[in-house]
Amino acid sequence: MAESVCIVAEYRDGAFRKVSYEIASEGRRIADTLGLKLYGIAIGSGVSDKVQELAKYGVEKVLVADDPAFEHYIAETYVPAVAEMLQQCDPAVVLLPASMNGKDLSARLAARLETGLAQDSTEISVEDGKIKAKRPLFGGKCLGWYEWADGALVMISCRPNVMSMLEPDESKQAEVVKVDVSVPEARSKVVSVDMDTSGKIELTEADIIVSGGRGMKGPENFAMLEELAGLLGAAVGASRAAVDAGWRPHSDQVGQTGKVVTPNLYIAVGISGAIQHLAGMGSSKYIVAVNKDPDAPIFSKADYGVVEDLFKFIPVFTEEVRRLKSSE
Ligand SMILES: Cc1cc2nc3c(=O)[nH]c(=O)nc-3n(C[C@H](O)[C@H](O)[C@H](O)COP(=O)(O)OP(=O)(O)OC[C@H]3O[C@@H](n4cnc5c(N)ncnc54)[C@H](O)[C@@H]3O)c2cc1C
């Protein structure tokens, strides 16, 4: 009989990513239902100082691998180390973030541990002691429920911004176990990637996203969206047309071949609403579309639609947001 539900937290740039707290909260709910312990795996360079953050969301014991070799996610170093730590947790269920790195790690771990993975899940239920995970299929056109054979290790990666977080309990402390994992030398040519992400809100974790499409007409006009996003505390996204034109980096792309996002508010500006774009943002809580074409497909998905030339509407809207913010 397995002893735990185990979460694999994601640590980057000196902090756990928010999705780590979401999976900890979900893990807590599952562990309580199944009568199991909740363990966490924390891996990274300098991660030791932050492990008690996980305790606030119900993690009882944290296994820590803190080594400069884990500064960046590299499959060759992370996969064997996390697999080794998972063995020590004796889990019935493993939850991971369905972030860019988390998806890569989950798939490789599932292969190594010879189990099935429900990737990018949006809901988990426990019925009669059996776990089921729901995930969107075919670009979000339908939803599938997955379950595991009796005795199989359940592995689920969870879409960021979907699982609700518990109220953090500052009084909680977790047992911390430092694990001496053997760090294999990475044979891949990429050993570290330096990106200037300072101050940039990660799209998959953003509460509000302002996205621009081909209707923006050129890269310089995204300054308008940056300004609006700055006032709203939002991240800036883009359609593939804007990315393919070289106006925005691929890391900003929302959609089937970009990122899947689930903000509370998604503002689509000059985006037609092609099915491949909707696959990436269709589960946003509220969608606002700004498009001069009243027949644009995005309006069939939008909660609020503005039929107007974006170059007239966005400056006026931005000024109104600024006025409201300054009177707060
Ligand atoms: C395999 C595959 C994968 C794909 N993956 C993705 C993906 O991940 N993400 C993605 O986005 N796309 C993806 N696409 C591309 C997708 O099919 C569309 O081509 C793309 O989303 C269109 O981008 P867009 O809406 O910005 O451009 P368009 O479809 O050209 O729409 C531009 C919109 O701007 C409006 N507009 C123009 N000027 C103004 C103005 N002044 N004011 C207001 N509105 C204005 C127009 O009315 C129009 O509706 C994929 C396609 C394929 C085949």
Side-chain angles (χ1 to χ4, degrees):
M1 172 78 185
E3 99 186 65
S4 72
V5 172
C6 188
I7 64 141
V8 182
E10 185 165 334
Y11 178 80
R12 202 165 72 190
D13 299 332
F16 287 112
R17 295 186 63 191
K18 182 172 149 251
V19 65
S20 304
Y21 305 132
E22 292 166 5
I23 57 171
S25 303
E26 191 64 21
R28 185 67 267 163
R29 284 186 277 265
I30 297 170
D32 287 343
T33 312
L34 296 177
L36 296 172
K37 307 246 186 244
L38 179 62
Y39 295 163
I41 286 178
I43 178 166
S45 175
V47 69
S48 308
D49 297 344
K50 300 283 179 191
V51 287
Q52 291 303 343
E53 294 297 313
L54 297 174
K56 295 179 189 169
Y57 297 88
V59 178
E60 293 156 73
K61 181 164 93 175
V62 188
L63 275 69
V64 186
D66 190 341
D67 192 293
F70 297 133
E71 184 168 359
H72 299 285
Y73 172 75
I74 300 170
E76 285 157 303
T77 54
Y78 267 59
V79 176
V82 175
E84 203 177 312
M85 288 197 281
L86 277 176
Q87 306 285 5
Q88 297 181 31
C89 291
D90 187 20
V93 183
V94 181
L95 302 183
L96 301 105
S99 57
M100 222 55 144
N101 292 345
K103 282 188 198 165
D104 188 80
L105 177 64
S106 312
R108 291 169 189 269
L109 278 175
R112 183 176 276 247
L113 302 175
E114 296 185 349
T115 194
L117 164 71
Q119 185 82 280
D120 200 22
S121 297
T122 53
E123 194 179 328
I124 301 171
S125 79
V126 187
E127 285 166 31
D128 300 327
K130 262 191 102 62
I131 304 268
K132 285 184 180 180
K134 185 167 92 175
R135 60 181 292 257
L137 301 164
F138 303 107
K141 284 201 199 71
C142 58
L143 298 164
W145 278 100
Y146 289 71
E147 50 185 279
W148 286 255
D150 285 339
L153 174 64
V154 174
M155 191 172 276
I156 303 170
S157 76
C158 304
R159 184 178 285 189
N161 266 358
V162 173
M163 311 284 170
S164 57
M165 272 201 292
L166 294 171
E167 273 303 311
D169 182 343
E170 305 288 333
S171 68
K172 288 267 173 67
Q173 286 283 309
E175 180 192 345
V176 177
V177 180
K178 296 216 171 187
V179 183
D180 253 338
V181 287
S182 41
V183 184
E185 203 173 316
R187 290 186 302 272
S188 56
K189 297 232 163 48
V190 179
V191 283
S192 80
V193 179
D194 284 320
M195 287 186 295
D196 182 14
T197 52
S198 50
K200 209 173 160 186
I201 301 169
E202 165 60 35
L203 269 182
T204 54
E205 290 182 356
D207 198 42
I208 305 176
I209 295 176
V210 183
S211 257
R214 205 195 310 267
M216 295 304 298
K217 308 270 192 279
E220 65 287 356
N221 295 326
F222 273 81
M224 254 186 346
L225 302 190
E226 299 276 3
E227 188 185 358
L228 176 59
L231 287 168
L232 294 171
V236 176
S239 72
R240 177 158 159 183
V243 171
D244 284 352
W247 302 347
R248 303 297 291 180
H250 182 259
S251 55
D252 285 1
Q253 186 179 315
V254 172
Q256 188 181 313
T257 41
K259 287 179 177 164
V260 176
V261 297
T262 40
N264 266 320
L265 174 62
Y266 188 89
I267 307 177
V269 185
I271 292 177
S272 60
I275 188 79
Q276 297 88 355
H277 190 78
L278 298 179
M281 43 61 81
S283 329
S284 306
K285 194 159 179 198
Y286 294 103
I287 298 170
V288 175
V290 183
N291 199 304
K292 66 179 180 183
D293 173 7
D295 296 323
I298 190 83
F299 287 126
S300 64
K301 194 80 188 166
D303 298 283
Y304 299 93
V306 180
V307 181
E308 181 55 280
D309 185 329
L310 70 92
F311 295 100
K312 285 189 195 150
F313 177 75
I314 294 294
V316 174
F317 182 58
T318 305
E319 273 324 300
E320 191 59 18
V321 172
R322 197 189 314 279
R323 194 182 62 76
L324 286 171
K325 286 269 168 194
S326 62
S327 64
E328 266 177 8

